[in-house]
Coordinates of all heavy atoms in Angstrom, one line a residue:
G1250 N 16.7 12.1 3.8 CA 15.7 11.0 3.5 C 15.1 11.1 2.2 O 14.9 12.2 1.6
F1251 N 14.7 9.9 1.7 CA 14.1 9.8 0.3 C 12.7 9.2 0.3 O 12.2 8.7 -0.7 CB 15.1 9.0 -0.6 CG 16.4 9.6 -0.7 CD1 17.5 9.2 0.1 CD2 16.6 10.7 -1.6 CE1 18.7 9.8 -0.1 CE2 17.9 11.3 -1.7 CZ 18.9 10.8 -0.9
L1252 N 12.1 9.2 1.5 CA 10.7 8.7 1.6 C 9.8 9.8 1.3 O 9.0 10.4 2.1 CB 10.4 8.2 3.0 CG 9.1 7.4 3.1 CD1 9.3 6.0 2.5 CD2 8.7 7.2 4.6
T1253 N 9.9 10.2 0.0 CA 9.1 11.3 -0.5 C 8.4 10.9 -1.8 O 8.8 10.0 -2.5 CB 10.0 12.5 -0.9 OG1 10.9 12.2 -1.9 CG2 10.8 13.0 0.4
L1254 N 7.2 11.5 -2.1 CA 6.4 11.1 -3.2 C 7.1 11.4 -4.6 O 6.8 10.8 -5.6 CB 5.1 11.8 -3.2 CG 4.2 11.3 -2.0 CD1 2.9 12.1 -2.0 CD2 4.0 9.8 -2.1
A1255 N 8.1 12.3 -4.5 CA 8.8 12.7 -5.7 C 9.6 11.5 -6.3 O 10.0 11.5 -7.5 CB 9.7 13.9 -5.5
R1256 N 9.9 10.5 -5.4 CA 10.7 9.4 -5.9 C 10.0 8.5 -6.9 O 10.6 7.7 -7.6 CB 11.2 8.5 -4.7 CG 10.0 7.8 -4.1 CD 10.5 6.9 -2.9 NE 11.5 5.9 -3.3 CZ 12.4 5.4 -2.6 NH1 12.6 5.8 -1.3 NH2 13.2 4.5 -3.0
Y1257 N 8.6 8.7 -7.0 CA 7.8 7.8 -7.9 C 7.7 8.4 -9.2 O 7.1 9.5 -9.4 CB 6.4 7.6 -7.3 CG 6.4 6.6 -6.1 CD1 6.2 7.1 -4.8 CD2 6.6 5.3 -6.3 CE1 6.1 6.2 -3.7 CE2 6.5 4.4 -5.2 CZ 6.3 4.9 -4.0 OH 6.2 4.0 -2.9
Q1258 N 8.3 7.8 -10.2 CA 8.1 8.2 -11.6 C 7.3 7.2 -12.4 O 6.4 7.6 -13.2 CB 9.5 8.3 -12.3 CG 10.5 9.2 -11.5 CD 10.0 10.6 -11.4 OE1 9.4 11.2 -12.3 NE2 10.2 11.2 -10.2
K1259 N 7.5 5.9 -12.1 CA 6.7 4.9 -12.7 C 6.4 3.8 -11.6 O 7.4 3.5 -10.9 CB 7.4 4.2 -13.9 CG 7.5 5.1 -15.1 CD 8.2 4.3 -16.2 CE 8.3 5.1 -17.5 NZ 9.0 4.3 -18.6
P1260 N 5.2 3.3 -11.5 CA 4.0 3.7 -12.2 C 3.5 5.1 -11.8 O 3.9 5.6 -10.8 CB 3.0 2.6 -11.8 CG 3.4 2.3 -10.4 CD 4.9 2.3 -10.4
L1261 N 2.7 5.6 -12.7 CA 2.1 7.0 -12.5 C 1.2 6.9 -11.3 O 0.7 5.9 -10.9 CB 1.4 7.5 -13.7 CG 2.2 7.7 -15.0 CD1 1.4 8.1 -16.1 CD2 3.3 8.8 -14.7
P1262 N 1.0 8.0 -10.6 CA 0.2 8.0 -9.3 C -1.2 7.6 -9.6 O -1.9 8.1 -10.5 CB 0.3 9.5 -8.9 CG 1.4 10.1 -9.6 CD 1.6 9.4 -10.9
K1263 N -1.7 6.7 -8.7 CA -3.1 6.4 -8.7 C -3.5 6.0 -7.3 O -4.3 6.8 -6.6 CB -3.5 5.2 -9.7 CG -5.0 4.9 -9.7 CD -5.3 3.7 -10.5 CE -6.8 3.5 -10.5 NZ -7.2 2.2 -11.2
D1264 N -3.0 4.9 -6.8 CA -3.4 4.5 -5.4 C -2.1 4.5 -4.5 O -1.1 3.9 -4.8 CB -3.9 3.0 -5.4 CG -5.1 2.9 -6.3 OD1 -5.9 3.8 -6.4 OD2 -5.2 1.8 -6.9
L1265 N -2.2 5.3 -3.4 CA -1.1 5.5 -2.5 C -1.4 4.7 -1.2 O -2.4 5.1 -0.5 CB -0.9 6.9 -2.3 CG 0.2 7.3 -1.2 CD1 1.6 6.8 -1.6 CD2 0.2 8.8 -0.9
W1266 N -0.6 3.8 -0.9 CA -0.8 3.0 0.4 C 0.3 3.5 1.4 O 1.5 3.4 1.1 CB -0.6 1.5 0.2 CG -1.7 0.9 -0.6 CD1 -1.9 1.1 -2.0 CD2 -2.7 0.0 -0.2 NE1 -3.0 0.3 -2.4 CE2 -3.5 -0.3 -1.3 CE3 -3.1 -0.5 1.1 CZ2 -4.6 -1.2 -1.2 CZ3 -4.1 -1.4 1.2 CH2 -4.9 -1.7 0.1
L1267 N -0.1 4.0 2.5 CA 0.8 4.5 3.6 C 0.6 3.5 4.8 O -0.4 3.5 5.4 CB 0.5 5.9 4.0 CG 0.5 6.9 2.8 CD1 0.0 8.3 3.3 CD2 1.8 7.1 2.2
L1268 N 1.7 2.7 5.0 CA 1.6 1.7 6.1 C 2.5 2.0 7.2 O 3.7 2.1 7.0 CB 1.9 0.3 5.5 CG 1.2 -0.1 4.2 CD1 1.6 -1.5 3.7 CD2 -0.3 0.0 4.3
A1269 N 2.0 2.3 8.4 CA 2.8 2.8 9.5 C 2.5 2.0 10.8 O 1.4 1.5 11.0 CB 2.5 4.2 9.7
T1270 N 3.6 1.9 11.6 CA 3.4 1.4 13.0 C 4.0 2.5 13.9 O 5.0 3.2 13.5 CB 4.2 0.1 13.2 OG1 5.6 0.3 12.9 CG2 3.6 -1.0 12.5
G1271 N 3.3 2.7 15.0 CA 3.8 3.7 16.0 C 4.1 5.0 15.5 O 3.4 5.6 14.7
T1272 N 5.3 5.6 15.9 CA 5.7 6.9 15.5 C 6.1 7.0 14.0 O 6.3 8.1 13.5 CB 6.9 7.4 16.3 OG1 7.9 6.5 16.2 CG2 6.4 7.6 17.8
G1273 N 6.1 5.8 13.3 CA 6.3 5.9 11.8 C 5.2 6.6 11.1 O 5.2 6.8 9.9
L1274 N 4.1 6.9 11.8 CA 3.0 7.7 11.2 C 3.5 9.1 10.8 O 2.9 9.7 9.9 CB 1.9 7.8 12.2 CG 0.7 8.7 11.9 CD1 -0.1 8.0 10.8 CD2 -0.2 8.9 13.1
A1275 N 4.5 9.6 11.4 CA 4.9 11.0 11.3 C 5.1 11.5 9.8 O 4.5 12.5 9.4 CB 6.2 11.3 12.1
P1276 N 5.9 10.8 9.0 CA 6.1 11.4 7.7 C 4.8 11.3 6.8 O 4.7 12.2 5.9 CB 7.2 10.5 7.1 CG 7.1 9.2 7.9 CD 6.7 9.6 9.2
F1277 N 3.9 10.4 7.1 CA 2.7 10.3 6.4 C 1.8 11.4 6.7 O 1.0 11.9 5.8 CB 2.1 8.9 6.6 CG 2.9 7.8 6.2 CD1 2.8 6.5 6.8 CD2 3.9 7.9 5.2 CE1 3.6 5.5 6.4 CE2 4.7 6.8 4.8 CZ 4.6 5.6 5.4
L1278 N 1.7 11.8 8.0 CA 0.9 13.0 8.3 C 1.4 14.2 7.6 O 0.6 15.1 7.1 CB 1.0 13.2 9.8 CG 0.2 12.2 10.7 CD1 0.3 12.6 12.2 CD2 -1.3 12.2 10.3
S1279 N 2.7 14.4 7.4 CA 3.3 15.5 6.7 C 2.8 15.5 5.2 O 2.4 16.5 4.7 CB 4.8 15.5 6.8 OG 5.4 16.6 6.1
M1280 N 2.9 14.3 4.6 CA 2.5 14.2 3.2 C 1.0 14.5 3.1 O 0.6 15.1 2.1 CB 2.7 12.7 2.7 CG 4.1 12.3 2.6 SD 4.3 10.6 2.2 CE 6.0 10.3 2.5
L1281 N 0.2 14.1 4.1 CA -1.3 14.3 4.0 C -1.7 15.7 4.3 O -2.9 16.1 4.2 CB -2.0 13.3 4.9 CG -1.9 11.9 4.4 CD1 -2.4 10.9 5.5 CD2 -2.7 11.7 3.1

């Protein structure tokens, strides 16, 4: 999987929106 924050080069990090339904919450809890 490539749903990782390392994939973002541009734009530079400022505001991160994590939008989940149901069990799609899982990877975001890992990031947090």
Side-chain angles (χ1 to χ4, degrees):
F1251 300 97
L1252 192 72
T1253 63
L1254 295 177
R1256 70 180 296 154
Y1257 286 109
Q1258 305 302 318
K1259 292 182 180 180
L1261 295 176
K1263 184 182 178 187
D1264 301 324
L1265 175 63
W1266 293 72
L1267 304 173
L1268 310 183
T1270 56
T1272 55
L1274 177 70
F1277 300 151
L1278 287 178
S1279 183
M1280 293 176 193
L1281 290 170

